[in-house]
Structure formats: structure tokens, C-alpha cells
Amino acid sequence: MKKYIHFIFSCSLLLSHITQAQTKAEIKVGAAVEMLRLALISGNENELERLLAKKLSYGHAWGYVEGKEEFIEKLVSKKSDFVGITLNDQVISVTRRTAVVRHILSAETKDNNKAGRLKLKEMLVFSKRNGHWKLLARQALKAP
């Protein structure tokens, strides 16, 4: 009886590990999210250009939407300046050449040299183009 219970317990542990394992595509999308996080902090124009889709739609929690050029310009000029960003509770879902990422973003900012803090729930949509995952859309809302 003990062997039977031990076997069932071992199988359930194995199955829970397998169901939580990330696919190769999810790992690559996670890497793209991390590169984007670092590019948001650095404001590196070349990195941002490489990570963002040409027709980016970047929706802010305060209700306005930016395209790629406007979004990059604000980061490079430090009008929008991320000092640090932490992502929590991230979930990645990939279907063919599209990935949806949800997480909670906590950030320290210094927009126009004024220190601030953000906590947002974000949904990011990535599209795979020429073997690379690019941010196509983002929508955020204020997190409690």
C-alpha cells in the first residue's frame, strides 16, 4: 500500500512539473520581454527599434495610445524615464506566431526629472517576424 501511495505521489509531482514547464517558444518570448525591460530602463534607441514592431500600438493606463516613433522618442529623450522595473506573476501564452504576455509591472520612474512609482497590470502582444519576437501591442491598467 505504501508503495502504491508513493507511486501516485511521485506521478502527481512529475505531472505538475511537466505542466508548468515552458515551451521553447515561451522561453524565447520571455527572453524578448526581458530585453524589452532592459531597453525601457536604458532608453537605448537601437535596442528599442529592434524589439518593437513597425506598427506598434502602445496603450497607457491613463488612456492615450502611442505609435512606435512617439514611444521611442519619449524614452530616448527621458520624458519617460524608467529607473528600475520589476515584473511579477508573468504568464506567457504562444499560439503559432503570436504571443500574449501578462504580468504586473512595478517601476521607479524619473519622468522629466520627477521621481515616481508605478504599479501596472500589463498585457503585451508579441508577433514573430523573421525569427524574432517583436512587441506589436501593449495595454496597461493601474494595479491596486
Side-chain angles (χ1 to χ4, degrees):
M1 182 68 166
K2 284 185 179 181
K3 285 184 179 180
Y4 179 73
I5 292 172
H6 181 70
F7 175 76
I8 289 177
F9 180 72
S10 297
C11 287
S12 66
L13 281 176
L14 179 64
L15 286 174
S16 69
H17 178 71
I18 290 171
T19 58
Q20 291 180 358
Q22 289 186 308
T23 65
K24 287 181 183 179
E26 290 168 341
I27 291 168
K28 288 185 179 184
V29 171
V33 172
E34 177 60 12
M35 286 187 282
L36 178 61
R37 185 186 73 82
L38 294 173
L40 290 172
I41 295 168
S42 73
N44 183 301
E45 187 172 4
N46 292 331
E47 282 297 304
L48 291 164
E49 283 284 346
R50 191 175 63 77
L51 294 166
L52 305 176
K54 186 176 183 177
K55 295 189 177 192
L56 173 71
S57 176
Y58 197 91
H60 291 270
W62 346 112
Y64 61 95
V65 178
E66 295 172 331
K68 181 178 180 177
E69 294 78 21
E70 186 179 18
F71 175 65
I72 290 174
E73 188 277 325
K74 282 188 178 174
L75 289 167
V76 171
S77 70
K78 301 295 183 189
K79 290 177 190 170
S80 182
D81 187 10
F82 289 99
V83 177
I85 298 173
T86 304
L87 304 176
N88 293 306
D89 302 329
Q90 185 162 277
V91 177
I92 300 170
S93 176
V94 179
T95 305
R96 295 185 193 101
R97 302 176 67 78
T98 304
V100 175
V101 179
R102 293 180 183 273
H103 55 230
I104 297 173
L105 176 143
S106 299
E108 295 175 35
T109 62
K110 199 168 184 185
D111 299 352
N112 293 315
N113 287 319
K114 184 178 178 184
R117 289 185 178 271
L118 287 175
K119 186 169 184 183
L120 303 170
K121 290 184 178 183
E122 287 190 317
M123 180 181 72
L124 309 173
V125 179
F126 283 82
S127 178
K128 191 172 187 180
R129 299 283 182 242
N130 300 321
H132 300 285
W133 290 100
K134 296 187 176 266
L135 181 64
L136 178 62
R138 179 257 198 186
Q139 186 60 58
L141 60 102
K142 293 178 190 175

